[in-house]
Amino acid sequence: MAKPTVKAVLLSPQRELGAKPLLVVGPSLGTSTVLWTETAALLGDDYDVIGWDLPGHGISPTVTEGFDVAELADAVVDLVDSVSPESAFHYAGVSLGGATGLQLGIKHGHRLRSLSVQCSGAKLGTPEGWLERAGTVRKLGTPVMIQGSAERWFGPGFMDRQPEISSRLLHALRDADRFGYSFCCEALATFDVREQLGSITVPTQVIAGVEDSVAPPSLAEETAEGIRAGGGSAVVETLDGVGHLAPAEAPAAVADLMRTFMKENGL
């Protein structure tokens, strides 16, 4: 195992960093920072928004050996420190990016102002399923995932209503490195922090799409209950008609929920 390197894109207006509170946003497997473009635009006047890409996705370099989600969280902290050393930040992430957020809460909670876990949970899928997918993509490349991902990612009718946004996301999947994607699958195969949720003390928001078959609202409730069991604070929000990529599917709703939560918890 080796800690990967992740790269960032500034999603808010160009200005000197530090004038606004820092918000770091993380992606779902197979996507890039384009997942957050619309939501970040709605939050960019109030927050410095930085999006990071998974290994082999977007602008992040790929990897040649495995890593786990805890090491991905370490890489995000290194990224923040390269931009604003030792600063506290708000964090929001989707699916694997949300799993990374839970690891941040467990391991680096003192750095977080708030945590928004979206379309994710403390355990996603099955090890067998992730390992099978890793093998398939390593052999055939990421385009083999496009049809299945389109079905899993979006709520009913979204691709017809928003062809440009859905096309950008599916192009990010097509362009992802097969090895980086496969190593991310293997990281998800070993990810299970259900027994550690009680150690999260940072205020946490868990957002779920009603139409999400990967991380349904029941998983969001389980995640929040695990945090509350340790004395932490966690709220659950559900979005009708939304599938697995909430910030792209419902940017206004997600931005409103995040803004309210962040202002209630720090800045």
Side-chain angles (χ1 to χ4, degrees), residues 2 4-5 57 70 108 135 148 157 161 165 175 189 199 266:
T5 298
H57 296 62
H108 302 282
R161 294 192 307 273
I165 294 172
D175 294 340
S199 67

Side-chain angles (χ1 to χ4, degrees), residues 26-31 35 52-55 57 67-70 72-73 76 91-104 117-121 124 130 180-189 191 214-215 244-245:
S28 174
L29 176 65
T31 70
L35 172 63
W52 61 275
D53 283 323
L54 291 161
H57 296 62
F67 57 87
D68 59 24
V69 179
L72 207 49
V76 170
Y91 181 85
V94 179
S95 195
L96 178 49
T100 305
L102 290 173
Q103 283 285 15
L104 285 168
V117 177
Q118 304 184 12
C119 309
S120 191
L124 295 166
W130 288 119
Y181 186 102
S182 298
F183 282 123
C184 286
C185 290
E186 289 165 358
L188 281 165
F191 176 72
V214 179
H244 193 54
L245 301 183

Side-chain angles (χ1 to χ4, degrees), residues 160-235:
D160 293 329
R161 294 192 307 273
Q162 297 286 354
E164 183 181 344
I165 294 172
S166 53
S167 177
R168 286 206 312 264
L169 288 161
L170 290 168
H171 275 86
L173 170 60
R174 182 199 65 190
D175 294 340
D177 175 73
R178 69 174 70 191
F179 301 106
Y181 186 102
S182 298
F183 282 123
C184 286
C185 290
E186 289 165 358
L188 281 165
T190 63
F191 176 72
D192 185 349
V193 295
R194 289 175 292 181
E195 298 301 316
Q196 298 168 265
L197 290 174
S199 67
I200 296 177
T201 58
V202 61
T204 303
Q205 172 187 66
V206 190
I207 296 177
V210 170
E211 303 296 334
D212 190 354
S213 61
V214 179
S218 59
L219 185 59
E221 292 287 354
E222 290 173 17
T223 302
E225 287 171 10
I227 293 170
R228 293 186 203 119
S233 169
V235 297

Side-chain angles (χ1 to χ4, degrees), residues 107-129:
K107 193 174 181 183
H108 302 282
H110 63 288
R111 296 294 300 275
L112 299 182
R113 295 183 184 273
S114 72
L115 173 60
S116 181
V117 177
Q118 304 184 12
C119 309
S120 191
K123 181 180 184 294
L124 295 166
T126 65
E128 298 78 15

